[in-house]
Amino acid sequence: MMKHHSLAPTKPKRVVILGASGFVARALARCLAEGGIETLAIGSSQVDLLESGSATKLQEIIRPDDALVITSALTPEKGKDVRAFMKNLTMVNHLCAFFEKARCAHVVYLSSDAVYDDSTALVRETTPRTGLGLYGLMHVGREEMLQYASNKSKIPLCVVRPCAIYGAGDTHNSYGPNRFVRSAIKDRKITLFGNGEERRDHVYIRDVSRFLALCLEHRTEGAVNLVTGNAISFYDLAQRIVKLCPHKVELEWLPRATPITHRHFDVSLRLKEFPSFQCTPLETGLAETFQELVSQA
Amino acid sequence: MIGFIGLSHLGIVYSLATAAKGFEVLGFDPDPALCAGLSAGKLPVSEPGLEELLHRHRSRIRFSAAVAELAKCDLVFFSRDVPTDQANRSDLDALNGLIDSVAANISQTATVVILCQVPPGFTRSRKSALACRGVKWGGQLFYQVETLVFGNAVERALHPERFIIGCADPRTRLPKSYADWLAAFGCPLLPMRYESAELAKIAINLFLVSTVATTNTLAELCEKLGADWSEIAPALRLDKRIGPHAYLSPGLGIAGGNLERDLITVKQLSGEYGAEAGVVDAWLRDSQYRCDWALRKVHALVLSATEDPTLAIWGLAYKANTHSTKNSPALALIEALAPFARVAYDPQVKLIPTADASVRLAGSALEGCRGADALIVMTPWPEFLKIEPVKIKAVMKGGVLIDPFGGLDQTACVEAGFSYHRLGAPAIGFSL
């Protein structure tokens, strides 16, 4: 269940974002700045959460009335192994040490839909979090660690679990909208596994930052999936991107390495808890992403 | 004289059905105001045919709050509905209190029947307590399954399919007073031990839930695949293993409280005794998902496309022909749309039991949808079906009609210019 500690939207005094150089952190900082909210983005060069002294450093920076957004993580392209898993847990271990010594007003943790495995037909917040590989389990572990610390320190914790995020500025280039758009612009082709049958939900980066800002303004507590509720096959996704291109784009097919799985979400909880929030239609998000990437190119 | 102790929905309907069968009836309730109201012909519950039943048979029924009068009855029914809390758990305190408070006034030879919605084990546990409280009581105790359906309670009370009777020992002959009462209804009798009867009631409800959940699961697939569930259901009804009366109409999950209560009871019992009940969790999850169907439609069709929309909601009761709003999907929808302008209308429910004062209650169905961007028909009241869609469209601003139960004439709705959305079939008509 979710709780909004501020029923009327109230600007946080200041938002401290951990993981400053990440895709989401940069977009969120921009979004908050546009909304006139003071923001401090902290990267690993300033406070390296892998270091045991990081808790003390954070104590010097974070004020009791700050809201803290945690986006720091080693993402899958930086390693899916046990070492990356342990590093990710270590970061949050140090954050928990910080919560033992100091206070802040609100914590938002950017988790992932990888906390759920692939076996459920319709995923919702109450779906058991069995974790998709070590990366998914890492987020499950981090959520639990932060929940424990939050309960102990009585700081409201909001866990946001987005599905795959797309938009210009993404550094991951994983299989999906961003890679497809880049490849369509640069190589004039999009490569699909199998026939691109897998259906997935994709959320636009601007929606992610808007949604996180909403959670901050309402001082929301609880866990929520940030998804559109409209899954689409990779083939259909590729076709929509092809239509955006002024030039011919070829679809290339590679043998499938894994069995076909789909992922759909029940978005009822988000609709109830955030009734005014609407996701950007995929066509709009893709078109904006395409334009930005073209202008960058 | 036959006594009914506890005059909630169950007690009122059964006491009047008993009077209708020619018996002299005493309706007892500790609430004098309730008894006075009933004596004056004021019914606190709404059921088709109930007023007529009271009017026609009032010479054979008397309502009283004087507990001493129970001594005149040779057959008494405990007939107070067992309420449920927000988590749909039974609250037996009121029933236990009622039994304890009247036990000493029951005739020592009277037959006592518990008609209330009690969990397995309750009747046997109360047998000794009843004997202990009513010191001289030496009659027999039975449990009888009630299978009233809100909105059809009178018909089911007068013409039951069967009587399921829980007995201390099913081989023992039924006392004459009780046997005579049962015989008046002319239906099969199924005596069994207390626990079997108590579980039989739950079994009936869980089978209904399983049908509802299966119907809704397949109906959703119909919407996505371009099939129409209303074409499939008749084929199932002709299957002897499913039957003509099966619950095959898609709906917004289970509501009303009774089915939910039994699901929770089975979960509790399974937990206590170590039985697998994962399917019950699945049904509960499914029911919640169906309850939110209209909310998802409103977001997808209206809120994503219209700024500051006005939403008209027809129907607040959890189903037609009842005033009950327990677990009503309409109330859940209204609450979930709090930031938006909402106007509601219901033929029976005139107060919205929520803290949200921003919902406007209209005096009529057409007034309720005047200027609205979308109309959502959350309860299929017969009154709504008589209104021509073209008249609805004429007073509305927008053209979205969400009619989960498919009560309105969909062809007429489309011809009137609506985009029309119901459970179990793809959307038809114009988009926004």
Side-chain angles (χ1 to χ4, degrees):
Chain A
M1 277 296 99
M2 306 208 75
K3 184 175 179 184
H4 305 289
H5 289 274
S6 301
L7 283 179
T10 309
K11 284 181 186 177
K13 293 264 186 214
R14 185 176 73 159
V15 177
V16 176
I17 307 171
L18 300 179
S21 59
F23 179 35
V24 174
R26 283 182 283 121
L28 176 62
R30 203 161 44 239
C31 172
L32 293 174
E34 282 167 11
I37 296 171
E38 186 188 345
T39 307
L40 174 66
I42 300 174
S44 55
S45 57
Q46 293 135 295
V47 179
D48 185 354
L49 290 173
L50 286 170
E51 287 176 5
S52 57
S54 55
T56 313
K57 280 188 184 169
L58 287 175
Q59 244 182 296
E60 291 162 9
I61 299 169
I62 295 171
R63 304 192 291 239
D65 53 4
D66 280 342
L68 181 66
V69 181
I70 304 165
T71 70
S72 324
L74 296 177
T75 44
E77 75 278 2
K78 289 182 187 152
K80 291 179 178 175
D81 56 6
V82 174
R83 193 166 294 171
F85 174 78
M86 292 308 296
K87 279 184 177 176
N88 273 319
L89 293 186
T90 301
M91 288 185 205
V92 171
N93 183 30
H94 292 148
L95 276 170
C96 290
F98 161 76
F99 292 125
E100 279 177 19
K101 296 178 197 164
R103 278 201 63 80
C104 62
H106 186 208
V107 178
V108 177
Y109 175 59
L110 186 75
S111 184
S112 160
D113 73 332
V115 297
Y116 310 111
D117 75 14
D118 267 344
S119 61
T120 312
L122 199 57
V123 175
R124 51 176 66 85
E125 286 76 4
T126 50
T127 299
R129 291 169 298 154
T130 46
L132 203 58
L134 282 178
Y135 181 72
L137 283 172
M138 171 276 286
H139 274 298
V140 176
R142 284 172 143 213
E143 284 187 12
E144 288 300 310
M145 290 162 80
L146 287 168
Q147 191 61 62
Y148 178 84
S150 148
N151 290 346
K152 240 182 140 183
S153 58
K154 301 200 181 341
I155 301 170
L157 169 69
C158 179
V159 174
V160 179
R161 301 176 187 138
C163 59
I165 304 169
Y166 71 94
D170 176 23
T171 51
H172 303 153
N173 208 34
S174 52
Y175 186 64
N178 288 329
R179 188 194 291 183
F180 290 2
V181 173
R182 284 195 185 103
S183 158
I185 294 168
K186 189 169 167 247
D187 308 323
R188 302 197 169 200
K189 70 173 183 185
I190 295 173
T191 306
L192 292 166
F193 290 110
N195 293 313
E197 299 96 328
E198 296 95 333
R199 291 174 190 231
R200 292 286 186 278
D201 202 319
H202 306 279
V203 65
Y204 188 34
I205 182 65
R206 288 193 179 156
D207 292 340
V208 176
S209 44
R210 274 196 307 122
F211 188 79
L212 290 172
L214 205 55
C215 294
L216 288 163
E217 286 179 347
H218 288 279
R219 231 173 134 228
T220 300
E221 184 172 6
V224 61
N225 296 330
L226 179 50
V227 294
T228 70
N230 299 311
I232 181 174
S233 74
F234 284 115
Y235 174 76
D236 285 339
L237 179 66
Q239 288 291 6
R240 289 183 196 207
I241 292 166
V242 167
K243 279 185 194 160
L244 291 171
C245 295
H247 51 262
K248 192 166 182 272
V249 176
E250 282 189 19
L251 294 186
E252 185 182 75
W253 315 94
L254 285 181
R256 170 183 307 290
T258 52
I260 298 171
T261 57
H262 304 290
R263 174 159 283 194
H264 297 265
F265 288 88
D266 171 13
V267 293
S268 305
L269 179 75
R270 174 173 63 74
L271 301 186
K272 284 182 213 172
E273 297 294 339
F274 302 90
S276 302
F277 179 83
Q278 295 289 332
C279 285
T280 306
L282 184 64
E283 289 75 10
T284 311
L286 284 178
E288 287 180 10
T289 304
F290 183 84
Q291 287 307 325
E292 283 183 57
L293 288 177
V294 165
S295 59
Q296 282 171 18
Chain B
M1 173 89 77
I2 297 176
F4 284 83
I5 303 171
L7 297 174
S8 57
H9 181 270
L10 179 64
I12 292 170
V13 172
Y14 261 106
S15 61
L16 286 173
T18 300
K21 294 291 179 184
F23 296 97
E24 291 298 315
V25 177
L26 171 70
F28 165 80
D29 196 280
D31 180 354
L34 173 63
C35 293
L38 284 165
S39 299
K42 287 180 195 160
L43 287 163
V45 294
S46 161
E47 276 293 341
L50 195 63
E51 263 186 41
E52 190 192 345
L53 205 64
L54 174 60
H55 180 69
R56 196 183 284 180
H57 304 288
R58 65 190 315 166
S59 63
R60 280 196 293 276
I61 189 163
R62 208 157 49 76
F63 300 100
S64 172
V67 70
E69 295 209 47
L70 288 172
K72 299 172 194 163
C73 301
D74 48 3
L75 173 63
V76 294
F77 288 87
F78 280 97
S79 57
R80 181 180 190 141
D81 288 284
V82 173
T84 51
D85 63 13
Q86 284 210 320
N88 297 308
R89 290 174 301 219
S90 288
D91 180 357
L92 292 160
D93 288 352
L95 175 60
N96 279 319
L98 186 65
I99 293 173
D100 291 343
S101 66
V102 303
N105 296 88
I106 294 172
S107 157
Q108 58 181 298
T109 56
T111 297
V112 176
V113 183
I114 292 176
L115 201 54
C116 320
Q117 307 88 352
V118 297
F122 179 87
T123 311
R124 200 175 293 280
S125 75
R126 288 305 309 195
K127 191 166 184 277
S128 53
L130 198 65
C132 184
R133 284 280 180 158
V135 184
K136 295 175 190 165
W137 182 69
Q140 290 188 57
L141 176 66
F142 295 91
Y143 163 75
Q144 185 181 309
V145 174
E146 66 86 10
T147 55
L148 295 189
V149 176
F150 274 104
N152 193 27
V154 171
E155 171 64 20
R156 288 185 68 87
L158 290 172
H159 308 290
E161 295 143 320
R162 68 322 204 194
F163 279 135
I164 301 163
I165 303 149
C167 315
D169 179 354
R171 292 165 301 183
T172 308
R173 213 170 154 174
L174 295 171
K176 186 176 181 313
S177 59
Y178 189 29
D180 288 349
W181 183 86
L182 292 165
F185 291 85
C187 65
L189 304 184
L190 298 164
M192 57 187 76
R193 66 191 70 183
Y194 291 141
E195 292 77 7
S196 298
E198 288 162 337
L199 199 54
K201 153 102 179 129
I202 291 174
I204 292 164
N205 281 346
L206 261 64
F207 268 84
L208 295 180
V209 171
S210 69
T211 320
V212 168
T214 306
T215 296
N216 283 335
T217 300
L218 293 166
E220 183 183 15
L221 275 180
C222 284
E223 291 168 37
K224 293 173 193 275
L225 294 173
D228 188 334
W229 180 251
S230 67
E231 294 171 346
I232 297 169
L236 298 178
R237 291 191 195 284
L238 289 172
D239 192 305
K240 284 180 183 165
R241 295 162 299 178
I242 300 168
H245 305 295
Y247 274 28
L248 297 181
S249 299
L252 299 172
I254 54 173
N258 284 325
L259 301 179
E260 299 93 306
R261 174 218 312 274
D262 288 346
L263 291 174
I264 297 301
T265 301
V266 169
K267 259 175 74 87
Q268 285 174 336
L269 289 170
S270 302
E272 192 177 339
Y273 292 101
E276 171 58 43
V279 69
V280 176
D281 289 318
W283 287 333
L284 286 166
R285 197 170 57 237
D286 182 80
S287 178
Q288 182 57 59
Y289 177 66
R290 306 300 163 195
C291 178
D292 296 327
W293 181 88
L295 176 66
R296 290 190 292 272
K297 287 285 174 204
V298 170
H299 268 270
L301 299 166
V302 189
L303 303 183
S304 61
T306 313
E307 234 171 273
D308 298 326
T310 297
L311 304 164
I313 294 128
W314 278 4
L316 296 169
Y318 87 89
K319 67 175 188 177
N321 298 319
T322 180
H323 62 287
S324 171
T325 55
K326 173 84 180 180
N327 297 341
S328 163
L331 297 190
L333 177 72
I334 284 172
E335 199 182 325
L337 294 171
F340 308 100
R342 294 146 296 158
V343 186
Y345 170 74
D346 187 283
Q348 284 281 339
V349 183
K350 298 300 174 195
L351 269 176
I352 299 178
T354 109
D356 188 351
S358 64
V359 187
R360 188 167 73 78
L361 268 178
S364 73
L366 276 180
E367 186 206 323
C369 59
R370 194 174 300 279
D373 294 278
L375 168 63
I376 309 116
V377 186
M378 292 299 282
T379 317
W381 283 98
E383 170 183 330
F384 301 153
L385 317 187
K386 293 178 192 156
I387 304 172
E388 289 173 55
V390 69
K391 288 185 180 163
I392 305 171
K393 184 71 179 68
V395 298
M396 281 178 62
K397 191 167 84 185
V400 175
L401 210 166
I402 300 170
D403 181 21
F405 303 96
L408 300 177
D409 178 341
Q410 57 176 314
T411 308
C413 288
V414 172
E415 283 170 3
F418 282 112
S419 74
Y420 181 83
H421 309 264
R422 71 172 161 96
L423 286 160
I428 53 171
F430 302 103
S431 57
L432 271 173

